[in-house]
Amino acid sequence: DAGVIQSPRHEVTEMGQEVTLRCKPISGHNSLFWYRQTMMRGLELLIYFNNNVPIDDSGMPEDRFSAKMPNASFSTLKIQPSEPRDSAVYFCAIHGLRTRGTGELFFGEGSRLTVL
Amino acid sequence: GNSVTQMEGPVTLSEEAFLTINCTYTATGYPSLFWYVQYPGEGLQLLLKATKADDKGSNKGFEATYRKETTSFHLEKGSVQVSDSAVYFCALSTQGAQKLVFGQGTRLTINP
């Protein structure tokens, strides 16, 4: 089955610290997406990659956020420096090879970030 | 631009009640429509989808019909269970576009 593994599942840090969230697809894919979920703003697309290349990063809130995909098996989302308003659940998702073009995404379980 | 509007929650029902969660959309072209479900502590997972007008998506007793004339994709279930308690997201994807546009989500709680 298509899917992703995210780590850490929970992160508590202090304002100003660097945060790195990780995503590891466990199946073939063409595209990888980073979403942020908050009570106030719902589910927001931050950035997505096609074949490891960033295609649309218009949802990245500011320069403190950066994302990389060095290879097809790994992606990171980094926040430096972190702020309390970055507290959210961050999801990674992929299009499976067989579901590309259908709109179906496979989500990880998310990384819950709390910035104090 | 493309957008999705869902009925605001939270929604609380008793077990075996009838469920409707409204969803309307605005899109250019001919979108595909989706309902995703998020159980507590988990990521989103696809519940059902419809790719063209008048299609009906169904899964786990849930149904939704793609209504182009009313630009709607309302989610229904005839008899809900406690295990259906979750957050439900309506979403669309336009032809050729890879991005999903999500509604704000509707939290559903089913009491025994």
Side-chain angles (χ1 to χ4, degrees), chain B residues 9-38:
Chain B
V11 174
T12 302
L13 297 173
S14 297
E15 205 165 21
E16 299 184 2
F18 184 86
L19 168 71
T20 300
I21 300 178
N22 290 339
C23 171
T24 57
Y25 66 89
T26 302
T28 54
Y30 303 93
S32 294
L33 303 174
F34 307 84
W35 277 100
Y36 278 77
V37 59
Q38 184 182 27

PDB file of all heavy atoms in Angstrom, chain B residues 9-38:
ATOM      1  N   GLY B   9     -19.048  22.942  11.520  1.00  0.00           N
ATOM      2  CA  GLY B   9     -19.335  22.044  12.615  1.00  0.00           C
ATOM      3  C   GLY B   9     -19.249  22.772  13.935  1.00  0.00           C
ATOM      4  O   GLY B   9     -19.248  23.997  13.955  1.00  0.00           O
ATOM      5  N   PRO B  10     -19.112  22.052  15.010  1.00  0.00           N
ATOM      6  CA  PRO B  10     -19.188  20.593  15.017  1.00  0.00           C
ATOM      7  C   PRO B  10     -20.618  20.081  14.876  1.00  0.00           C
ATOM      8  O   PRO B  10     -21.565  20.799  15.145  1.00  0.00           O
ATOM      9  CB  PRO B  10     -18.608  20.232  16.387  1.00  0.00           C
ATOM     10  CG  PRO B  10     -18.914  21.410  17.249  1.00  0.00           C
ATOM     11  CD  PRO B  10     -18.865  22.605  16.345  1.00  0.00           C
ATOM     12  N   VAL B  11     -20.717  18.845  14.407  1.00  0.00           N
ATOM     13  CA  VAL B  11     -22.006  18.186  14.277  1.00  0.00           C
ATOM     14  C   VAL B  11     -22.047  17.031  15.276  1.00  0.00           C
ATOM     15  O   VAL B  11     -21.120  16.222  15.318  1.00  0.00           O
ATOM     16  CB  VAL B  11     -22.210  17.635  12.848  1.00  0.00           C
ATOM     17  CG1 VAL B  11     -23.494  16.825  12.762  1.00  0.00           C
ATOM     18  CG2 VAL B  11     -22.220  18.779  11.833  1.00  0.00           C
ATOM     19  N   THR B  12     -23.098  16.993  16.062  1.00  0.00           N
ATOM     20  CA  THR B  12     -23.268  15.928  17.058  1.00  0.00           C
ATOM     21  C   THR B  12     -24.583  15.218  16.801  1.00  0.00           C
ATOM     22  O   THR B  12     -25.629  15.875  16.708  1.00  0.00           O
ATOM     23  CB  THR B  12     -23.234  16.482  18.483  1.00  0.00           C
ATOM     24  OG1 THR B  12     -21.995  17.167  18.701  1.00  0.00           O
ATOM     25  CG2 THR B  12     -23.357  15.352  19.499  1.00  0.00           C
ATOM     26  N   LEU B  13     -24.517  13.907  16.662  1.00  0.00           N
ATOM     27  CA  LEU B  13     -25.706  13.097  16.400  1.00  0.00           C
ATOM     28  C   LEU B  13     -25.727  11.886  17.321  1.00  0.00           C
ATOM     29  O   LEU B  13     -24.693  11.497  17.872  1.00  0.00           O
ATOM     30  CB  LEU B  13     -25.708  12.613  14.946  1.00  0.00           C
ATOM     31  CG  LEU B  13     -25.790  13.656  13.839  1.00  0.00           C
ATOM     32  CD1 LEU B  13     -25.598  12.992  12.489  1.00  0.00           C
ATOM     33  CD2 LEU B  13     -27.116  14.390  13.892  1.00  0.00           C
ATOM     34  N   SER B  14     -26.892  11.297  17.412  1.00  0.00           N
ATOM     35  CA  SER B  14     -27.023  10.030  18.132  1.00  0.00           C
ATOM     36  C   SER B  14     -26.800   8.877  17.165  1.00  0.00           C
ATOM     37  O   SER B  14     -27.014   9.014  15.950  1.00  0.00           O
ATOM     38  CB  SER B  14     -28.400   9.913  18.762  1.00  0.00           C
ATOM     39  OG  SER B  14     -28.596  10.934  19.723  1.00  0.00           O
ATOM     40  N   GLU B  15     -26.376   7.757  17.712  1.00  0.00           N
ATOM     41  CA  GLU B  15     -26.155   6.564  16.888  1.00  0.00           C
ATOM     42  C   GLU B  15     -27.430   6.227  16.127  1.00  0.00           C
ATOM     43  O   GLU B  15     -28.548   6.383  16.636  1.00  0.00           O
ATOM     44  CB  GLU B  15     -25.743   5.397  17.783  1.00  0.00           C
ATOM     45  CG  GLU B  15     -24.949   4.325  17.090  1.00  0.00           C
ATOM     46  CD  GLU B  15     -24.263   3.381  18.066  1.00  0.00           C
ATOM     47  OE1 GLU B  15     -24.703   3.308  19.235  1.00  0.00           O
ATOM     48  OE2 GLU B  15     -23.293   2.727  17.672  1.00  0.00           O
ATOM     49  N   GLU B  16     -27.263   5.803  14.875  1.00  0.00           N
ATOM     50  CA  GLU B  16     -28.337   5.404  13.958  1.00  0.00           C
ATOM     51  C   GLU B  16     -29.075   6.595  13.346  1.00  0.00           C
ATOM     52  O   GLU B  16     -30.017   6.392  12.569  1.00  0.00           O
ATOM     53  CB  GLU B  16     -29.333   4.449  14.631  1.00  0.00           C
ATOM     54  CG  GLU B  16     -28.692   3.148  15.107  1.00  0.00           C
ATOM     55  CD  GLU B  16     -29.704   2.178  15.691  1.00  0.00           C
ATOM     56  OE1 GLU B  16     -30.905   2.486  15.694  1.00  0.00           O
ATOM     57  OE2 GLU B  16     -29.269   1.106  16.139  1.00  0.00           O
ATOM     58  N   ALA B  17     -28.652   7.800  13.639  1.00  0.00           N
ATOM     59  CA  ALA B  17     -29.270   8.968  13.002  1.00  0.00           C
ATOM     60  C   ALA B  17     -28.805   9.081  11.549  1.00  0.00           C
ATOM     61  O   ALA B  17     -27.815   8.473  11.130  1.00  0.00           O
ATOM     62  CB  ALA B  17     -28.898  10.235  13.771  1.00  0.00           C
ATOM     63  N   PHE B  18     -29.546   9.889  10.773  1.00  0.00           N
ATOM     64  CA  PHE B  18     -29.192  10.178   9.391  1.00  0.00           C
ATOM     65  C   PHE B  18     -28.234  11.357   9.363  1.00  0.00           C
ATOM     66  O   PHE B  18     -28.434  12.344  10.059  1.00  0.00           O
ATOM     67  CB  PHE B  18     -30.452  10.511   8.582  1.00  0.00           C
ATOM     68  CG  PHE B  18     -30.185  10.733   7.116  1.00  0.00           C
ATOM     69  CD1 PHE B  18     -30.148   9.664   6.236  1.00  0.00           C
ATOM     70  CD2 PHE B  18     -29.951  12.007   6.616  1.00  0.00           C
ATOM     71  CE1 PHE B  18     -29.895   9.858   4.883  1.00  0.00           C
ATOM     72  CE2 PHE B  18     -29.697  12.216   5.269  1.00  0.00           C
ATOM     73  CZ  PHE B  18     -29.671  11.144   4.400  1.00  0.00           C
ATOM     74  N   LEU B  19     -27.219  11.232   8.529  1.00  0.00           N
ATOM     75  CA  LEU B  19     -26.188  12.263   8.451  1.00  0.00           C
ATOM     76  C   LEU B  19     -26.181  12.926   7.083  1.00  0.00           C
ATOM     77  O   LEU B  19     -26.231  12.244   6.050  1.00  0.00           O
ATOM     78  CB  LEU B  19     -24.804  11.656   8.691  1.00  0.00           C
ATOM     79  CG  LEU B  19     -23.603  12.552   8.369  1.00  0.00           C
ATOM     80  CD1 LEU B  19     -23.492  13.673   9.398  1.00  0.00           C
ATOM     81  CD2 LEU B  19     -22.315  11.739   8.316  1.00  0.00           C
ATOM     82  N   THR B  20     -26.105  14.252   7.090  1.00  0.00           N
ATOM     83  CA  THR B  20     -25.781  15.025   5.893  1.00  0.00           C
ATOM     84  C   THR B  20     -24.744  16.062   6.255  1.00  0.00           C
ATOM     85  O   THR B  20     -24.936  16.801   7.227  1.00  0.00           O
ATOM     86  CB  THR B  20     -27.009  15.743   5.313  1.00  0.00           C
ATOM     87  OG1 THR B  20     -28.003  14.800   4.960  1.00  0.00           O
ATOM     88  CG2 THR B  20     -26.624  16.527   4.069  1.00  0.00           C
ATOM     89  N   ILE B  21     -23.664  16.121   5.502  1.00  0.00           N
ATOM     90  CA  ILE B  21     -22.685  17.195   5.622  1.00  0.00           C
ATOM     91  C   ILE B  21     -22.626  17.875   4.254  1.00  0.00           C
ATOM     92  O   ILE B  21     -22.283  17.249   3.249  1.00  0.00           O
ATOM     93  CB  ILE B  21     -21.282  16.696   6.006  1.00  0.00           C
ATOM     94  CG1 ILE B  21     -21.327  15.970   7.355  1.00  0.00           C
ATOM     95  CG2 ILE B  21     -20.306  17.872   6.085  1.00  0.00           C
ATOM     96  CD1 ILE B  21     -19.977  15.388   7.789  1.00  0.00           C
ATOM     97  N   ASN B  22     -22.991  19.153   4.237  1.00  0.00           N
ATOM     98  CA  ASN B  22     -23.062  19.873   2.969  1.00  0.00           C
ATOM     99  C   ASN B  22     -21.693  20.333   2.485  1.00  0.00           C
ATOM    100  O   ASN B  22     -20.829  20.719   3.277  1.00  0.00           O
ATOM    101  CB  ASN B  22     -23.974  21.098   3.111  1.00  0.00           C
ATOM    102  CG  ASN B  22     -25.420  20.699   3.258  1.00  0.00           C
ATOM    103  OD1 ASN B  22     -25.825  19.602   2.888  1.00  0.00           O
ATOM    104  ND2 ASN B  22     -26.227  21.586   3.833  1.00  0.00           N
ATOM    105  N   CYS B  23     -21.534  20.299   1.166  1.00  0.00           N
ATOM    106  CA  CYS B  23     -20.305  20.760   0.527  1.00  0.00           C
ATOM    107  C   CYS B  23     -20.666  21.392  -0.814  1.00  0.00           C
ATOM    108  O   CYS B  23     -21.369  20.771  -1.620  1.00  0.00           O
ATOM    109  CB  CYS B  23     -19.338  19.606   0.306  1.00  0.00           C
ATOM    110  SG  CYS B  23     -17.895  20.027  -0.706  1.00  0.00           S
ATOM    111  N   THR B  24     -20.216  22.608  -1.039  1.00  0.00           N
ATOM    112  CA  THR B  24     -20.363  23.245  -2.337  1.00  0.00           C
ATOM    113  C   THR B  24     -18.991  23.704  -2.812  1.00  0.00           C
ATOM    114  O   THR B  24     -18.089  23.910  -2.014  1.00  0.00           O
ATOM    115  CB  THR B  24     -21.324  24.451  -2.282  1.00  0.00           C
ATOM    116  OG1 THR B  24     -20.846  25.382  -1.306  1.00  0.00           O
ATOM    117  CG2 THR B  24     -22.729  24.015  -1.927  1.00  0.00           C
ATOM    118  N   TYR B  25     -18.863  23.877  -4.105  1.00  0.00           N
ATOM    119  CA  TYR B  25     -17.548  24.201  -4.640  1.00  0.00           C
ATOM    120  C   TYR B  25     -17.643  25.283  -5.712  1.00  0.00           C
ATOM    121  O   TYR B  25     -18.702  25.526  -6.301  1.00  0.00           O
ATOM    122  CB  TYR B  25     -16.880  22.944  -5.230  1.00  0.00           C
ATOM    123  CG  TYR B  25     -17.582  22.395  -6.456  1.00  0.00           C
ATOM    124  CD1 TYR B  25     -17.244  22.838  -7.736  1.00  0.00           C
ATOM    125  CD2 TYR B  25     -18.589  21.441  -6.328  1.00  0.00           C
ATOM    126  CE1 TYR B  25     -17.903  22.349  -8.852  1.00  0.00           C
ATOM    127  CE2 TYR B  25     -19.254  20.951  -7.437  1.00  0.00           C
ATOM    128  CZ  TYR B  25     -18.911  21.406  -8.697  1.00  0.00           C
ATOM    129  OH  TYR B  25     -19.561  20.930  -9.805  1.00  0.00           O
ATOM    130  N   THR B  26     -16.526  25.911  -5.946  1.00  0.00           N
ATOM    131  CA  THR B  26     -16.334  26.829  -7.062  1.00  0.00           C
ATOM    132  C   THR B  26     -15.085  26.386  -7.784  1.00  0.00           C
ATOM    133  O   THR B  26     -14.036  26.202  -7.151  1.00  0.00           O
ATOM    134  CB  THR B  26     -16.153  28.283  -6.567  1.00  0.00           C
ATOM    135  OG1 THR B  26     -17.298  28.664  -5.812  1.00  0.00           O
ATOM    136  CG2 THR B  26     -15.980  29.225  -7.746  1.00  0.00           C
ATOM    137  N   ALA B  27     -15.193  26.171  -9.095  1.00  0.00           N
ATOM    138  CA  ALA B  27     -14.030  25.682  -9.826  1.00  0.00           C
ATOM    139  C   ALA B  27     -14.117  26.064 -11.291  1.00  0.00           C
ATOM    140  O   ALA B  27     -15.207  26.172 -11.850  1.00  0.00           O
ATOM    141  CB  ALA B  27     -13.924  24.160  -9.698  1.00  0.00           C
ATOM    142  N   THR B  28     -12.957  26.239 -11.902  1.00  0.00           N
ATOM    143  CA  THR B  28     -12.880  26.381 -13.348  1.00  0.00           C
ATOM    144  C   THR B  28     -12.713  24.984 -13.936  1.00  0.00           C
ATOM    145  O   THR B  28     -12.099  24.104 -13.333  1.00  0.00           O
ATOM    146  CB  THR B  28     -11.689  27.247 -13.740  1.00  0.00           C
ATOM    147  OG1 THR B  28     -10.502  26.703 -13.144  1.00  0.00           O
ATOM    148  CG2 THR B  28     -11.875  28.668 -13.228  1.00  0.00           C
ATOM    149  N   GLY B  29     -13.298  24.766 -15.084  1.00  0.00           N
ATOM    150  CA  GLY B  29     -13.184  23.451 -15.697  1.00  0.00           C
ATOM    151  C   GLY B  29     -14.120  22.445 -15.044  1.00  0.00           C
ATOM    152  O   GLY B  29     -15.162  22.797 -14.490  1.00  0.00           O
ATOM    153  N   TYR B  30     -13.708  21.197 -15.086  1.00  0.00           N
ATOM    154  CA  TYR B  30     -14.539  20.102 -14.594  1.00  0.00           C
ATOM    155  C   TYR B  30     -13.791  19.350 -13.506  1.00  0.00           C
ATOM    156  O   TYR B  30     -12.998  18.458 -13.789  1.00  0.00           O
ATOM    157  CB  TYR B  30     -14.900  19.176 -15.751  1.00  0.00           C
ATOM    158  CG  TYR B  30     -15.609  19.907 -16.873  1.00  0.00           C
ATOM    159  CD1 TYR B  30     -14.903  20.432 -17.947  1.00  0.00           C
ATOM    160  CD2 TYR B  30     -16.990  20.109 -16.812  1.00  0.00           C
ATOM    161  CE1 TYR B  30     -15.549  21.119 -18.962  1.00  0.00           C
ATOM    162  CE2 TYR B  30     -17.640  20.788 -17.822  1.00  0.00           C
ATOM    163  CZ  TYR B  30     -16.911  21.304 -18.892  1.00  0.00           C
ATOM    164  OH  TYR B  30     -17.563  21.983 -19.885  1.00  0.00           O
ATOM    165  N   PRO B  31     -14.039  19.720 -12.258  1.00  0.00           N
ATOM    166  CA  PRO B  31     -13.237  19.141 -11.174  1.00  0.00           C
ATOM    167  C   PRO B  31     -13.629  17.712 -10.844  1.00  0.00           C
ATOM    168  O   PRO B  31     -14.754  17.277 -11.129  1.00  0.00           O
ATOM    169  CB  PRO B  31     -13.537  20.052  -9.995  1.00  0.00           C
ATOM    170  CG  PRO B  31     -14.916  20.556 -10.252  1.00  0.00           C
ATOM    171  CD  PRO B  31     -15.006  20.712 -11.753  1.00  0.00           C
ATOM    172  N   SER B  32     -12.706  16.996 -10.246  1.00  0.00           N
ATOM    173  CA  SER B  32     -13.015  15.774  -9.522  1.00  0.00           C
ATOM    174  C   SER B  32     -13.266  16.167  -8.068  1.00  0.00           C
ATOM    175  O   SER B  32     -12.646  17.097  -7.550  1.00  0.00           O
ATOM    176  CB  SER B  32     -11.847  14.784  -9.595  1.00  0.00           C
ATOM    177  OG  SER B  32     -11.659  14.337 -10.917  1.00  0.00           O
ATOM    178  N   LEU B  33     -14.183  15.445  -7.426  1.00  0.00           N
ATOM    179  CA  LEU B  33     -14.585  15.784  -6.062  1.00  0.00           C
ATOM    180  C   LEU B  33     -14.322  14.620  -5.122  1.00  0.00           C
ATOM    181  O   LEU B  33     -14.450  13.454  -5.517  1.00  0.00           O
ATOM    182  CB  LEU B  33     -16.065  16.176  -6.036  1.00  0.00           C
ATOM    183  CG  LEU B  33     -16.463  17.338  -6.943  1.00  0.00           C
ATOM    184  CD1 LEU B  33     -17.974  17.528  -6.944  1.00  0.00           C
ATOM    185  CD2 LEU B  33     -15.777  18.629  -6.486  1.00  0.00           C
ATOM    186  N   PHE B  34     -13.963  14.956  -3.895  1.00  0.00           N
ATOM    187  CA  PHE B  34     -13.531  13.950  -2.931  1.00  0.00           C
ATOM    188  C   PHE B  34     -14.096  14.251  -1.543  1.00  0.00           C
ATOM    189  O   PHE B  34     -14.340  15.401  -1.192  1.00  0.00           O
ATOM    190  CB  PHE B  34     -11.995  13.954  -2.805  1.00  0.00           C
ATOM    191  CG  PHE B  34     -11.258  13.815  -4.097  1.00  0.00           C
ATOM    192  CD1 PHE B  34     -11.014  14.920  -4.897  1.00  0.00           C
ATOM    193  CD2 PHE B  34     -10.792  12.575  -4.504  1.00  0.00           C
ATOM    194  CE1 PHE B  34     -10.329  14.799  -6.096  1.00  0.00           C
ATOM    195  CE2 PHE B  34     -10.112  12.441  -5.701  1.00  0.00           C
ATOM    196  CZ  PHE B  34      -9.879  13.562  -6.496  1.00  0.00           C
ATOM    197  N   TRP B  35     -14.270  13.192  -0.774  1.00  0.00           N
ATOM    198  CA  TRP B  35     -14.434  13.303   0.665  1.00  0.00           C
ATOM    199  C   TRP B  35     -13.300  12.509   1.316  1.00  0.00           C
ATOM    200  O   TRP B  35     -13.090  11.321   1.001  1.00  0.00           O
ATOM    201  CB  TRP B  35     -15.786  12.754   1.133  1.00  0.00           C
ATOM    202  CG  TRP B  35     -16.901  13.742   0.991  1.00  0.00           C
ATOM    203  CD1 TRP B  35     -17.835  13.818   0.007  1.00  0.00           C
ATOM    204  CD2 TRP B  35     -17.193  14.821   1.883  1.00  0.00           C
ATOM    205  NE1 TRP B  35     -18.683  14.873   0.219  1.00  0.00           N
ATOM    206  CE2 TRP B  35     -18.315  15.508   1.362  1.00  0.00           C
ATOM    207  CE3 TRP B  35     -16.621  15.284   3.076  1.00  0.00           C
ATOM    208  CZ2 TRP B  35     -18.887  16.612   1.993  1.00  0.00           C
ATOM    209  CZ3 TRP B  35     -17.184  16.387   3.704  1.00  0.00           C
ATOM    210  CH2 TRP B  35     -18.303  17.032   3.164  1.00  0.00           C
ATOM    211  N   TYR B  36     -12.583  13.210   2.205  1.00  0.00           N
ATOM    212  CA  TYR B  36     -11.558  12.576   3.014  1.00  0.00           C
ATOM    213  C   TYR B  36     -12.044  12.547   4.469  1.00  0.00           C
ATOM    214  O   TYR B  36     -12.792  13.431   4.905  1.00  0.00           O
ATOM    215  CB  TYR B  36     -10.241  13.358   2.949  1.00  0.00           C
ATOM    216  CG  TYR B  36      -9.395  13.053   1.738  1.00  0.00           C
ATOM    217  CD1 TYR B  36      -9.707  13.586   0.492  1.00  0.00           C
ATOM    218  CD2 TYR B  36      -8.280  12.230   1.832  1.00  0.00           C
ATOM    219  CE1 TYR B  36      -8.936  13.301  -0.620  1.00  0.00           C
ATOM    220  CE2 TYR B  36      -7.496  11.935   0.732  1.00  0.00           C
ATOM    221  CZ  TYR B  36      -7.830  12.478  -0.493  1.00  0.00           C
ATOM    222  OH  TYR B  36      -7.062  12.181  -1.597  1.00  0.00           O
ATOM    223  N   VAL B  37     -11.553  11.557   5.215  1.00  0.00           N
ATOM    224  CA  VAL B  37     -11.907  11.445   6.628  1.00  0.00           C
ATOM    225  C   VAL B  37     -10.629  11.380   7.458  1.00  0.00           C
ATOM    226  O   VAL B  37      -9.635  10.776   7.042  1.00  0.00           O
ATOM    227  CB  VAL B  37     -12.804  10.212   6.890  1.00  0.00           C
ATOM    228  CG1 VAL B  37     -12.117   8.910   6.465  1.00  0.00           C
ATOM    229  CG2 VAL B  37     -13.213  10.137   8.350  1.00  0.00           C
ATOM    230  N   GLN B  38     -10.659  12.048   8.595  1.00  0.00           N
ATOM    231  CA  GLN B  38      -9.515  12.053   9.524  1.00  0.00           C
ATOM    232  C   GLN B  38      -9.983  11.569  10.880  1.00  0.00           C
ATOM    233  O   GLN B  38     -10.697  12.277  11.588  1.00  0.00           O
ATOM    234  CB  GLN B  38      -8.917  13.455   9.626  1.00  0.00           C
ATOM    235  CG  GLN B  38      -7.679  13.525  10.500  1.00  0.00           C
ATOM    236  CD  GLN B  38      -7.129  14.943  10.613  1.00  0.00           C
ATOM    237  OE1 GLN B  38      -7.864  15.918  10.492  1.00  0.00           O
ATOM    238  NE2 GLN B  38      -5.832  15.058  10.839  1.00  0.00           N
TER     239      GLN B  38
END
